[in-house]
Amino acid sequence: MKEQSSMPLWAWAVLATVLMTQGALLFRDARARGRWHWFWGLWGMTTFPLPTVLYLLLVVFPENRQKRKEIAEEDKRIRK
């Protein structure tokens, strides 16, 4: 019943470090932005790199685009 894993121990350690780091960073950033921080943090600890890619596409890029738009509108208003 006892099987040996085909992955060496150091690879498991690297994988665990990557997943924990990704989950922690997603959690902290989502909490700062007020965006479902527990969801992003937990999901970040399960797979790599899909949660980060989707977080960028669904949260970070749209928020940055909205901020740039607001700044441009304010600049227009100030210049008039």
Side-chain angles (χ1 to χ4, degrees), residues 6 8-9 12 16 20 22-24 33 35 39-41 44-45 48-50 57-58 60 66 70 74-75 77-78 80:
S6 60
L9 185 58
W12 285 109
M20 293 299 289
Q22 175 183 253
R33 294 176 191 267
R35 301 287 186 117
F39 170 75
W40 289 109
M45 286 190 266
F48 178 80
L50 185 63
L57 291 174
L58 298 175
V60 176
Q66 181 65 27
E70 290 172 1
E74 187 174 328
D75 284 346
R77 189 177 49 84
I78 291 173
K80 286 184 179 182

Side-chain angles (χ1 to χ4, degrees), residues 33-49:
R33 294 176 191 267
R35 301 287 186 117
W36 292 11
H37 54 278
W38 284 106
F39 170 75
W40 289 109
L42 290 173
W43 191 29
M45 286 190 266
T46 60
T47 60
F48 178 80

